[in-house]
Structure formats: C-alpha cells, structure tokens
C-alpha cells in the first residue's frame, strides 16, 4: 500500500539549483524533500565547468543576481566547512579571476564599452595594458588587441559543490529521494497544487519547487503551468594534465559574451556547422584544462559533434598556441535550461497556487545557485529579497508570447535521461 508523505516544501530536481534551494529552506526550519528521477547532480550539473562569473553579464537583473551570488559563495564555502568538517568533499573553490581578451580592433572596442558599462554598476572590471598581459598569462597569444581582468570570477567543481550543498541540507533535516520521478499533480478542490504523485507514491505539500533544469518545461507542463524552458546543448574538451601555470585565469575571447546572449544556435534540422562557438580556456585543480564552448538548440540530442569540437579546439589554439601540442583525452556535452529572454525563471506561478520555479539559468546555474536559493527562501518566507525578484517572475512580459503559445521544451528525447 502506498504511504503518503508530507513536507512543507518538495523540490523537484537534485542538481545544484535544487540542492542550494533545499539547503536554504531547510536552514529556515522548513521540512524539505528533494526528489530526483535519477542520481543527484548527475545531469546538467555534472556537465558544467563550475563557473561563478560576473564577467560575461551585461548590466541588468542577471548581473545583479550574479553579484549577489559572488558575495554569497565565500560565505557558503565557509559554512559548508563548519557544518560538514571532514565529510566535506573538496569543492575546489578557486577565486582565480577571469581574463577577457579581444583579438580584433572591433572586438577591443566592444570589450572596452562592455567593461565600462559594468564598472558603472560596481563590477570590478580592470583594463589591462597589453604590455602587462604576459605577466598575467605568459602562454597567451601576443596577437590580442585588448584585455580586461575580473578578480571576482571564481570556479568550483560542480558535482562536489552540489553534493556538499545536499549534505548540508541533510544535516539541516532535508530528505533526498533519488530514482523518484514525478508523475503528476495533487490538487485540492480550488485547483491549488497540494503535492505530487511520484513513482514512490504521493507526496503532500503546500509548495512544490520546480528546479528540474532543462526538464523544467516538461515538469511545468505536467503540473499545469507551462514555462518556455528549452534544452541548449553545449560541449567541452578536456585535455591531458598540464603544469598549473599553463593557464592561470579563466580566459575567454570577448565573443563569448555575444554567444551567451545569442538566441540562435542550430535547430534539429540544420547541420552541426550552425553551432555557436567561442573560445573559453581554464585550468582545474586536478590538472587538465577545460576548453569550450558551444551552444546549440538540438532538443535532447546527446550526440557529440566532431566538427563542432574541432572548431572549439581551433579557437582555443588561437588564444594559446601551445595547446596545439596538448592531447585531448575526452569530450563531454550537457543540456542547459535556456529561456527566450536569457533570464532565469524564479518565483511563484500565478496560474497554479503552490507551484514555484527556479530554473532557466542556462550555463550560469552553478554561479547563480546560491543567490537563487536565497531569493527563493526570502520570497517563500516573505523576507526582504537579496535582489529585486520582479524581472525573474514566470509570467513576465518577456516570456508572455512563448508561454501563451506553449513554446518551450517540446523537443523529443533521444535517451531515457530526458524524462522528467
């Protein structure tokens, strides 16, 4: 016989967004249950680079959220160490800083203007004289035309960070149920959401938080309130281990910023040559370099495309010529939760009382996770918010057309991992 379980809040998704939200809510003495259809942190979180960035965000709501996260991450790292002690996995926290470079005259002008706008909002964006660049990155190409350093940029190992956040949530009383898929809503007579049916039985709760990443569109439709979240495919190369001084910062070409903000990328019908690529190179604590990146709309097609990987590699060698002799040992790809206006969806859904969303962060979810979680907690408990939540609301004007037409995650999966 099925046994109904009760919780104050059910979080759907045990990636880093769900983990961070569970920790915040459990810390506020809420009874929290996290449900994931597979293993925790095994999907989008496991296929990220661990970036915590302000350098790639233009002034606006997302940058405000990123700056809040940059302030909160060191606090979270310290608290995790105190709470978990020797049980804390090495999350490889590294405030290495970012170095954004241009390789053309037009790129230099654009980078300079972008950095000036960021500085007006308080971002520490430091122009670097070209003569000083070799002191920061000795192996970087001498053909660059401009450089800006961002000391606030940082990095973590994303799976370890998510596991640490979940472990902290458990110490605060949260429960985590893996291999538990959501099947449908439980409603009261008024239509308000009062829980979810799952493969492990019913879970009764007044608050359901949809933190299902690229699958959040499917979960939202299942619960009666579609949101336009689509998977956006990205791929990364991993090199053999290199000396730690090979690449000292997260280094990327200024065209990465335009690629992040682009609404394009190829459809399922076009060829892989339509993928948006840019050069991003960074070190890891273990020694290999991570080399990216690409962005493509291809549904849940999880195939690696050799021609796209070749373009990623070629662009990286333009920045670091010495990489031409460094072996690539593997490549991986992942799905990111994309939204048409490039802002996360955070907050209550007015159409279905009891349903909340924390999704749509695309490739910035690792960095934005702790501020997203703080904002969710503050809104649910009616506390003063860390940033203005209105730009992130599910029914904002920028999403109205896509939401009304049911646009979003309608792409068919190519593997079982795409089920909600």
């Amino acid at each position: 016989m099925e046994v109904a379980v009760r919780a104050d809040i059910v979080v759907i998704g045990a990636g880093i967004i769900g983990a961070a939200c569970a920790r915040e809510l459990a810390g506020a003495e809420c009874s929290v249950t996290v449900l994931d259809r597979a293993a925790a942190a095994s999907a989008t979180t496991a296929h990220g680079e661990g970036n915590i960035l302000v350098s790639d965000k233009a002034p606006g709501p997302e940058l405000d959220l990123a700056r809040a996260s940059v302030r909160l991450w060191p606090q979270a790292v310290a608290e995790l160490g105190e709470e978990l002690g020797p049980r804390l996995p090495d999350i490889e926290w590294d405030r290495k800083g970012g170095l954004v470079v241009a390789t053309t005259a037009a790129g230099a002008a654009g980078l300079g203007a972008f950095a000036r706008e960021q500085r007006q909002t308080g971002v520490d964006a430091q122009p670097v004289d070209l003569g000083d660049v070799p002191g920061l990155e000795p192996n970087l190409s001498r053909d660059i035309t401009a450089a800006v350093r961002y000391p606030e940029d940082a990095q973590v190992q994303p799976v370890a960070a998510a596991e640490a956040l979940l472990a902290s949530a458990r110490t605060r009383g949260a429960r985590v149920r893996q291999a538990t898929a959501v099947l449908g809503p439980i409603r009261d007579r008024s239509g308000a959401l009062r829980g979810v049916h799952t493969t492990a039985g019913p879970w009764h709760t007044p608050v359901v938080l949809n933190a299902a990443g690229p699958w959040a569109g499917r979960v939202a439709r299942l619960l009666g309130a579609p949101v336009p979240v689509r998977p956006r495919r990205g791929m990364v190369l991993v090199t053999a281990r290199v000396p730690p001084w090979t690449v000292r910062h997260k280094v990327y070409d200024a065209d990465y910023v335009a690629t992040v903000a682009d609404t394009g990328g190829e459809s399922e019908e076009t060829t892989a040559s339509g993928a948006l690529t840019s050069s991003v190179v960074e070190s890891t604590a273990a020694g290999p370099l991570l080399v990216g990146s690409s962005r493509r709309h291809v549904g849940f097609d999880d195939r690696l495309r050799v021609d796209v990987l070749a373009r990623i590699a070629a662009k990286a060698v333009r920045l670091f010529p010495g990489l031409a002799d460094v072996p690539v040992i593997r490549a991986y790809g992942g799905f990111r939760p994309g939204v048409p206006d490039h802002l996360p969806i955070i907050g209550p859904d007015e159409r279905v009382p009891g349903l909340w969303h924390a999704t749509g962060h695309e490739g910035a979810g690792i960095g934005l996770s702790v501020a997203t979680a703080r904002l969710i907690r503050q809104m649910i408990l009616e506390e003063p918010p860390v940033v203005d939540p209105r730009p992130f609301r599910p029914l904002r004007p920028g999403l109205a057309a896509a939401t009304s037409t049911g646009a979003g995650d309608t792409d068919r999966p190519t593997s079982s991992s795409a089920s909600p």
Side-chain angles (χ1 to χ4, degrees):
M1 184 177 74
E2 289 185 345
V3 177
V5 183
R6 295 187 178 275
D8 292 341
I9 298 166
V10 166
V11 179
I12 302 174
I16 198 163
I17 297 293
C21 290
R23 177 178 182 267
E24 278 282 344
L25 293 164
E29 299 185 354
C30 297
S31 170
V32 180
T33 298
V34 183
L35 307 177
D36 198 288
R37 75 195 191 287
S42 63
T44 297
T45 297
H47 298 90
E49 296 169 89
N51 293 321
I52 300 168
L53 307 179
V54 296
S55 57
D56 62 342
K57 296 170 181 64
E62 188 182 26
L63 180 58
D64 294 341
L65 193 65
R67 295 190 67 208
S69 255
V70 162
R71 293 192 299 270
L72 289 170
W73 260 110
Q75 176 186 336
V77 171
E79 290 174 352
L80 289 171
E82 293 173 1
E83 292 174 21
L84 303 179
R87 295 184 295 126
L88 175 67
D90 183 4
I91 69 172
E92 300 178 12
W93 164 257
D94 186 2
R95 182 159 264 175
K96 66 175 69 174
L99 187 68
V100 184
V101 301
T103 56
T104 64
L111 176 58
F114 186 80
R116 284 193 297 274
E117 291 177 355
Q118 288 182 308
R119 283 194 294 274
Q120 291 173 1
T121 70
V123 173
D124 190 2
Q126 304 173 356
V128 180
D129 290 335
L130 293 182
D132 295 332
V133 171
L136 296 173
E137 289 290 345
N139 297 305
L140 187 63
S141 169
R142 300 299 186 262
D143 294 332
I144 65 171
T145 55
V148 177
R149 183 171 177 265
Y150 289 86
E152 296 173 295
D153 282 0
Q155 185 182 23
V156 292
Q157 207 293 330
V159 174
E163 289 177 342
L165 291 167
L166 279 177
S168 172
R170 287 188 180 99
T171 66
R172 298 175 177 198
R175 293 171 291 186
V176 180
R177 288 293 300 263
Q178 303 178 82
T180 303
V182 173
L183 303 177
I186 298 173
R187 302 182 187 277
D188 64 16
R189 291 181 179 180
S190 72
L193 196 61
R194 289 295 177 259
V196 288
H197 292 289
T198 78
T199 51
W203 293 76
H204 294 282
T205 176
V207 176
V208 175
L209 177 61
N210 175 15
W215 297 272
R218 294 183 173 185
V219 169
R221 284 204 312 277
L222 192 66
L223 300 180
V227 291
V229 176
R230 294 179 60 195
R232 205 175 186 195
R233 178 75 164 160
M235 289 184 285
V236 175
L237 295 169
V238 183
T239 74
R241 295 180 66 181
V242 298
W245 60 84
T246 304
V247 179
R248 300 177 177 180
H249 302 75
K250 175 189 174 71
V251 181
Y252 59 87
D253 195 322
D255 65 0
Y256 174 79
V257 175
T259 301
V260 168
D262 197 286
T263 58
E266 62 173 325
S267 69
E268 286 188 286
E269 289 74 34
T270 61
T271 64
S273 61
L276 295 165
T277 60
S278 55
S279 184
V280 184
V281 184
E282 60 189 312
S283 59
T284 66
L289 300 177
L290 302 180
V291 180
S293 66
S294 68
R295 278 173 160 76
R296 305 161 57 235
H297 279 131
V298 290
F300 285 105
D301 183 346
D302 57 7
R303 292 172 293 179
L304 291 174
R305 303 297 179 98
V306 174
D307 56 342
V308 176
L309 294 172
R311 289 169 58 195
I312 291 171
K315 288 191 173 186
V317 170
R318 284 182 58 196
L319 288 186
F320 290 91
L323 294 185
D325 299 322
V326 176
V328 171
I329 60 173
R330 67 184 180 95
Y332 64 87
F335 300 111
R336 301 157 176 153
V339 176
D341 65 359
H342 295 284
L343 284 179
I345 299 174
I346 305 170
D349 197 306
E350 299 172 9
R351 298 164 295 179
V352 178
L355 176 61
W356 290 63
H357 303 283
T359 185
H361 300 78
E362 201 171 310
I366 307 299
L368 299 179
S369 58
V370 291
T372 295
R374 182 64 55 87
L375 185 58
I376 283 287
R377 188 203 77 190
Q378 290 166 336
M379 285 193 289
I380 288 177
L381 300 182
E382 298 183 349
E383 301 169 346
V386 66
V387 297
D388 183 358
R390 290 173 295 180
F392 307 108
R393 63 191 186 276
L395 299 186
R396 59 185 181 258
L399 299 185
T403 301
S404 64
T405 60
D409 173 20
T410 58
D411 304 292
R412 60 184 180 275
T414 58
S415 69
S416 59
S417 65
S419 60

PDB file of all heavy atoms in Angstrom, residues 1 5 23 25-26 68 97 118 158-159 209 220 233 240 244 259 267 271 281 302 347 367 400:
ATOM      1  N   MET A   1       0.845  -1.192   0.000  1.00  0.00           N
ATOM      2  CA  MET A   1       0.000   0.000   0.000  1.00  0.00           C
ATOM      3  C   MET A   1       0.886   1.249   0.000  1.00  0.00           C
ATOM      4  O   MET A   1       1.888   1.305   0.718  1.00  0.00           O
ATOM      5  CB  MET A   1      -0.893   0.019   1.241  1.00  0.00           C
ATOM      6  CG  MET A   1      -1.882   1.177   1.271  1.00  0.00           C
ATOM      7  SD  MET A   1      -2.986   1.101   2.720  1.00  0.00           S
ATOM      8  CE  MET A   1      -1.853   1.606   4.003  1.00  0.00           C
ATOM      9  N   VAL A   5       3.460  10.843   2.043  1.00  0.00           N
ATOM     10  CA  VAL A   5       4.493  11.533   2.809  1.00  0.00           C
ATOM     11  C   VAL A   5       4.210  13.029   2.750  1.00  0.00           C
ATOM     12  O   VAL A   5       3.769  13.540   1.723  1.00  0.00           O
ATOM     13  CB  VAL A   5       5.893  11.240   2.234  1.00  0.00           C
ATOM     14  CG1 VAL A   5       6.967  11.910   3.071  1.00  0.00           C
ATOM     15  CG2 VAL A   5       6.122   9.728   2.181  1.00  0.00           C
ATOM     16  N   ARG A  23      18.970  23.492   0.802  1.00  0.00           N
ATOM     17  CA  ARG A  23      19.793  23.890   1.941  1.00  0.00           C
ATOM     18  C   ARG A  23      19.265  25.171   2.581  1.00  0.00           C
ATOM     19  O   ARG A  23      19.163  25.275   3.807  1.00  0.00           O
ATOM     20  CB  ARG A  23      21.241  24.074   1.486  1.00  0.00           C
ATOM     21  CG  ARG A  23      22.181  24.559   2.582  1.00  0.00           C
ATOM     22  CD  ARG A  23      23.609  24.680   2.067  1.00  0.00           C
ATOM     23  NE  ARG A  23      24.496  25.095   3.146  1.00  0.00           N
ATOM     24  CZ  ARG A  23      24.807  26.366   3.406  1.00  0.00           C
ATOM     25  NH1 ARG A  23      24.299  27.346   2.668  1.00  0.00           N
ATOM     26  NH2 ARG A  23      25.620  26.660   4.406  1.00  0.00           N
ATOM     27  N   LEU A  25      16.215  26.472   2.442  1.00  0.00           N
ATOM     28  CA  LEU A  25      14.898  26.286   3.034  1.00  0.00           C
ATOM     29  C   LEU A  25      14.960  25.439   4.298  1.00  0.00           C
ATOM     30  O   LEU A  25      14.294  25.722   5.297  1.00  0.00           O
ATOM     31  CB  LEU A  25      13.958  25.671   2.001  1.00  0.00           C
ATOM     32  CG  LEU A  25      13.634  26.599   0.818  1.00  0.00           C
ATOM     33  CD1 LEU A  25      13.033  25.798  -0.339  1.00  0.00           C
ATOM     34  CD2 LEU A  25      12.696  27.715   1.245  1.00  0.00           C
ATOM     35  N   ALA A  26      15.792  24.398   4.267  1.00  0.00           N
ATOM     36  CA  ALA A  26      15.952  23.579   5.475  1.00  0.00           C
ATOM     37  C   ALA A  26      16.596  24.389   6.595  1.00  0.00           C
ATOM     38  O   ALA A  26      16.272  24.202   7.773  1.00  0.00           O
ATOM     39  CB  ALA A  26      16.782  22.336   5.163  1.00  0.00           C
ATOM     40  N   ALA A  68      25.173  39.219  -6.400  1.00  0.00           N
ATOM     41  CA  ALA A  68      24.731  38.700  -5.108  1.00  0.00           C
ATOM     42  C   ALA A  68      25.346  37.331  -4.844  1.00  0.00           C
ATOM     43  O   ALA A  68      25.786  37.037  -3.721  1.00  0.00           O
ATOM     44  CB  ALA A  68      23.207  38.620  -5.073  1.00  0.00           C
ATOM     45  N   GLY A  97      39.882  34.465 -10.753  1.00  0.00           N
ATOM     46  CA  GLY A  97      39.696  35.647 -11.588  1.00  0.00           C
ATOM     47  C   GLY A  97      39.559  35.275 -13.053  1.00  0.00           C
ATOM     48  O   GLY A  97      39.964  34.194 -13.488  1.00  0.00           O
ATOM     49  N   GLN A 118      29.810  47.825 -17.168  1.00  0.00           N
ATOM     50  CA  GLN A 118      29.816  47.011 -15.953  1.00  0.00           C
ATOM     51  C   GLN A 118      30.374  47.795 -14.768  1.00  0.00           C
ATOM     52  O   GLN A 118      29.842  47.712 -13.658  1.00  0.00           O
ATOM     53  CB  GLN A 118      30.650  45.752 -16.177  1.00  0.00           C
ATOM     54  CG  GLN A 118      30.011  44.722 -17.101  1.00  0.00           C
ATOM     55  CD  GLN A 118      30.898  43.504 -17.220  1.00  0.00           C
ATOM     56  OE1 GLN A 118      32.083  43.619 -17.513  1.00  0.00           O
ATOM     57  NE2 GLN A 118      30.331  42.336 -16.995  1.00  0.00           N
ATOM     58  N   PRO A 158      31.654  21.398  -9.928  1.00  0.00           N
ATOM     59  CA  PRO A 158      30.195  21.499  -9.767  1.00  0.00           C
ATOM     60  C   PRO A 158      29.534  20.323  -9.065  1.00  0.00           C
ATOM     61  O   PRO A 158      28.641  20.533  -8.236  1.00  0.00           O
ATOM     62  CB  PRO A 158      29.696  21.649 -11.208  1.00  0.00           C
ATOM     63  CG  PRO A 158      30.802  21.170 -12.084  1.00  0.00           C
ATOM     64  CD  PRO A 158      32.068  21.453 -11.339  1.00  0.00           C
ATOM     65  N   VAL A 159      29.936  19.095  -9.365  1.00  0.00           N
ATOM     66  CA  VAL A 159      29.311  17.945  -8.714  1.00  0.00           C
ATOM     67  C   VAL A 159      29.645  17.939  -7.225  1.00  0.00           C
ATOM     68  O   VAL A 159      28.768  17.723  -6.371  1.00  0.00           O
ATOM     69  CB  VAL A 159      29.747  16.622  -9.379  1.00  0.00           C
ATOM     70  CG1 VAL A 159      29.209  15.430  -8.603  1.00  0.00           C
ATOM     71  CG2 VAL A 159      29.243  16.573 -10.822  1.00  0.00           C
ATOM     72  N   LEU A 209       8.520  23.158  -5.661  1.00  0.00           N
ATOM     73  CA  LEU A 209       9.507  23.991  -6.340  1.00  0.00           C
ATOM     74  C   LEU A 209      10.080  23.227  -7.519  1.00  0.00           C
ATOM     75  O   LEU A 209      10.735  22.198  -7.353  1.00  0.00           O
ATOM     76  CB  LEU A 209      10.627  24.394  -5.373  1.00  0.00           C
ATOM     77  CG  LEU A 209      11.777  25.213  -5.968  1.00  0.00           C
ATOM     78  CD1 LEU A 209      11.280  26.536  -6.530  1.00  0.00           C
ATOM     79  CD2 LEU A 209      12.865  25.449  -4.916  1.00  0.00           C
ATOM     80  N   ALA A 220       6.823  21.547 -15.638  1.00  0.00           N
ATOM     81  CA  ALA A 220       5.828  22.612 -15.534  1.00  0.00           C
ATOM     82  C   ALA A 220       4.554  22.255 -16.291  1.00  0.00           C
ATOM     83  O   ALA A 220       3.439  22.467 -15.790  1.00  0.00           O
ATOM     84  CB  ALA A 220       6.411  23.921 -16.062  1.00  0.00           C
ATOM     85  N   ARG A 233      22.236  22.725 -25.988  1.00  0.00           N
ATOM     86  CA  ARG A 233      23.348  21.775 -25.907  1.00  0.00           C
ATOM     87  C   ARG A 233      24.692  22.497 -25.925  1.00  0.00           C
ATOM     88  O   ARG A 233      24.906  23.429 -26.710  1.00  0.00           O
ATOM     89  CB  ARG A 233      23.266  20.823 -27.107  1.00  0.00           C
ATOM     90  CG  ARG A 233      24.380  19.800 -27.216  1.00  0.00           C
ATOM     91  CD  ARG A 233      24.223  18.690 -26.233  1.00  0.00           C
ATOM     92  NE  ARG A 233      25.060  17.556 -26.589  1.00  0.00           N
ATOM     93  CZ  ARG A 233      25.411  16.620 -25.730  1.00  0.00           C
ATOM     94  NH1 ARG A 233      24.982  16.673 -24.498  1.00  0.00           N
ATOM     95  NH2 ARG A 233      26.163  15.611 -26.103  1.00  0.00           N
ATOM     96  N   ALA A 240      44.803  16.576 -21.469  1.00  0.00           N
ATOM     97  CA  ALA A 240      45.674  15.905 -20.505  1.00  0.00           C
ATOM     98  C   ALA A 240      46.138  16.924 -19.462  1.00  0.00           C
ATOM     99  O   ALA A 240      45.994  18.137 -19.641  1.00  0.00           O
ATOM    100  CB  ALA A 240      46.877  15.309 -21.229  1.00  0.00           C
ATOM    101  N   PRO A 244      50.473  23.772 -13.699  1.00  0.00           N
ATOM    102  CA  PRO A 244      49.466  24.710 -13.197  1.00  0.00           C
ATOM    103  C   PRO A 244      49.614  26.133 -13.716  1.00  0.00           C
ATOM    104  O   PRO A 244      48.653  26.907 -13.645  1.00  0.00           O
ATOM    105  CB  PRO A 244      49.649  24.649 -11.677  1.00  0.00           C
ATOM    106  CG  PRO A 244      51.019  24.087 -11.464  1.00  0.00           C
ATOM    107  CD  PRO A 244      51.273  23.183 -12.610  1.00  0.00           C
ATOM    108  N   THR A 259      27.980  35.232 -27.642  1.00  0.00           N
ATOM    109  CA  THR A 259      27.459  33.880 -27.828  1.00  0.00           C
ATOM    110  C   THR A 259      26.499  33.500 -26.712  1.00  0.00           C
ATOM    111  O   THR A 259      25.448  32.904 -26.942  1.00  0.00           O
ATOM    112  CB  THR A 259      28.620  32.875 -27.880  1.00  0.00           C
ATOM    113  OG1 THR A 259      29.485  33.221 -28.963  1.00  0.00           O
ATOM    114  CG2 THR A 259      28.117  31.459 -28.074  1.00  0.00           C
ATOM    115  N   SER A 267      18.968  24.426 -35.193  1.00  0.00           N
ATOM    116  CA  SER A 267      17.805  23.607 -34.899  1.00  0.00           C
ATOM    117  C   SER A 267      18.142  22.160 -35.210  1.00  0.00           C
ATOM    118  O   SER A 267      19.212  21.844 -35.720  1.00  0.00           O
ATOM    119  CB  SER A 267      16.620  24.048 -35.756  1.00  0.00           C
ATOM    120  OG  SER A 267      16.858  23.729 -37.106  1.00  0.00           O
ATOM    121  N   THR A 271      22.649  21.548 -39.851  1.00  0.00           N
ATOM    122  CA  THR A 271      23.866  20.788 -39.601  1.00  0.00           C
ATOM    123  C   THR A 271      24.614  21.344 -38.411  1.00  0.00           C
ATOM    124  O   THR A 271      24.361  22.454 -37.951  1.00  0.00           O
ATOM    125  CB  THR A 271      24.803  20.860 -40.833  1.00  0.00           C
ATOM    126  OG1 THR A 271      25.210  22.226 -41.011  1.00  0.00           O
ATOM    127  CG2 THR A 271      24.078  20.385 -42.070  1.00  0.00           C
ATOM    128  N   VAL A 281      38.998  28.941 -22.093  1.00  0.00           N
ATOM    129  CA  VAL A 281      40.041  28.030 -21.626  1.00  0.00           C
ATOM    130  C   VAL A 281      40.276  28.287 -20.144  1.00  0.00           C
ATOM    131  O   VAL A 281      40.467  29.431 -19.729  1.00  0.00           O
ATOM    132  CB  VAL A 281      41.360  28.227 -22.397  1.00  0.00           C
ATOM    133  CG1 VAL A 281      42.386  27.189 -21.955  1.00  0.00           C
ATOM    134  CG2 VAL A 281      41.135  28.159 -23.907  1.00  0.00           C
ATOM    135  N   ASP A 302      21.866  13.980 -27.722  1.00  0.00           N
ATOM    136  CA  ASP A 302      23.074  13.977 -26.891  1.00  0.00           C
ATOM    137  C   ASP A 302      24.326  13.513 -27.626  1.00  0.00           C
ATOM    138  O   ASP A 302      25.333  13.187 -26.996  1.00  0.00           O
ATOM    139  CB  ASP A 302      22.859  13.134 -25.634  1.00  0.00           C
ATOM    140  CG  ASP A 302      22.463  11.691 -25.939  1.00  0.00           C
ATOM    141  OD1 ASP A 302      22.485  11.304 -27.122  1.00  0.00           O
ATOM    142  OD2 ASP A 302      22.126  10.964 -24.991  1.00  0.00           O
ATOM    143  N   GLY A 347      10.434  32.135  -8.878  1.00  0.00           N
ATOM    144  CA  GLY A 347       9.319  32.683  -8.128  1.00  0.00           C
ATOM    145  C   GLY A 347       8.047  31.879  -8.270  1.00  0.00           C
ATOM    146  O   GLY A 347       8.009  30.822  -8.909  1.00  0.00           O
ATOM    147  N   GLY A 367      27.058  29.291 -10.846  1.00  0.00           N
ATOM    148  CA  GLY A 367      27.351  30.576 -10.219  1.00  0.00           C
ATOM    149  C   GLY A 367      26.158  31.206  -9.551  1.00  0.00           C
ATOM    150  O   GLY A 367      26.272  31.784  -8.461  1.00  0.00           O
ATOM    151  N   ALA A 400       5.853  36.321 -22.262  1.00  0.00           N
ATOM    152  CA  ALA A 400       4.413  36.191 -22.471  1.00  0.00           C
ATOM    153  C   ALA A 400       4.076  35.442 -23.745  1.00  0.00           C
ATOM    154  O   ALA A 400       3.250  34.526 -23.755  1.00  0.00           O
ATOM    155  CB  ALA A 400       3.765  37.575 -22.477  1.00  0.00           C
TER     156      ALA A 400
END
